[in-house]
Amino acid sequence: MNLKEICCESFGKRALMTIKTYKMNRVVYGTTCVTYVAQRVLKQLVMDDGHNYPLAASAVSSDMYMDDLLTGTADIYSAKQLKEQLIALFRGGGMQLHKCSSNCKELLANSELSDGDVSLKIPDETKALGLLWRPQNDSFAFSVSANVCE
């Protein structure tokens, strides 16, 4: 897949203009197509391998915004299965999950996520998509600051 083609003009010894085309195989951040490409890559990943990982495919299709996945399950067993499937699905696409949060220590232990991004301690709160999530009581909150004028 060609994510972006870059054409460069160069002048050789004979003063002839030659055009070289370079094909990028990574998403170039800061370009207008980045949002679309990121979402399209996830959609393609689900289309290609989602049948092997049904729980992960469902979560990625409905609970993902850009690079944040906010999802949950009814029990710890299902959560473990979902975590394993997500790791396998993204690994198959050459991606690695990181910055995992949970309100269950059992899910954070023995993590196959990237080094240094998983804490075995349940945080007081964590931010996602502009919301504060408080894992201790599994609630969401907004943080608002206001300037009071007299």
Side-chain angles (χ1 to χ4, degrees), residues 12-144:
K13 292 179 181 177
R14 299 181 189 163
L16 296 173
M17 184 178 74
T18 59
I19 297 176
K20 293 183 180 181
T21 302
Y22 297 92
K23 295 180 181 181
M24 307 296 287
N25 61 2
R26 303 220 186 256
V27 176
V28 180
Y29 287 95
T31 58
T32 55
C33 65
V34 169
T35 304
Y36 169 77
V37 171
Q39 294 299 309
R40 185 64 179 92
V41 166
L42 294 175
K43 183 176 182 176
Q44 190 66 47
L45 185 60
V46 168
M47 288 183 345
D48 291 348
D49 294 330
H51 62 280
N52 295 323
Y53 311 104
L55 296 174
S58 177
V60 169
S61 296
S62 63
D63 300 339
M64 191 136 195
Y65 180 79
M66 291 305 295
D67 60 350
D68 288 331
L69 177 67
L70 300 171
T71 192
T73 62
D75 56 67
I76 293 172
Y77 176 75
S78 298
K80 284 181 179 180
Q81 283 187 313
L82 175 60
K83 177 185 164 187
E84 289 171 8
Q85 286 189 20
L86 285 167
I87 289 169
L89 177 66
F90 282 104
R91 184 180 292 139
M95 296 175 260
Q96 187 173 16
L97 296 179
H98 61 96
K99 295 184 182 176
C100 180
S101 292
S102 176
N103 59 355
C104 175
K105 283 187 181 184
E106 197 175 334
L107 289 175
L108 297 175
N110 300 322
S111 184
E112 295 181 45
L113 305 177
S114 61
D115 295 337
D117 289 333
V118 178
S119 172
L120 295 178
K121 175 181 155 258
I122 296 175
D124 292 333
E125 62 186 26
T126 188
K127 292 182 182 179
L129 303 177
L131 290 173
L132 294 174
W133 177 52
R134 297 183 175 143
Q136 300 292 345
N137 56 1
D138 200 16
S139 66
F140 288 101
F142 290 97
S143 178
V144 179

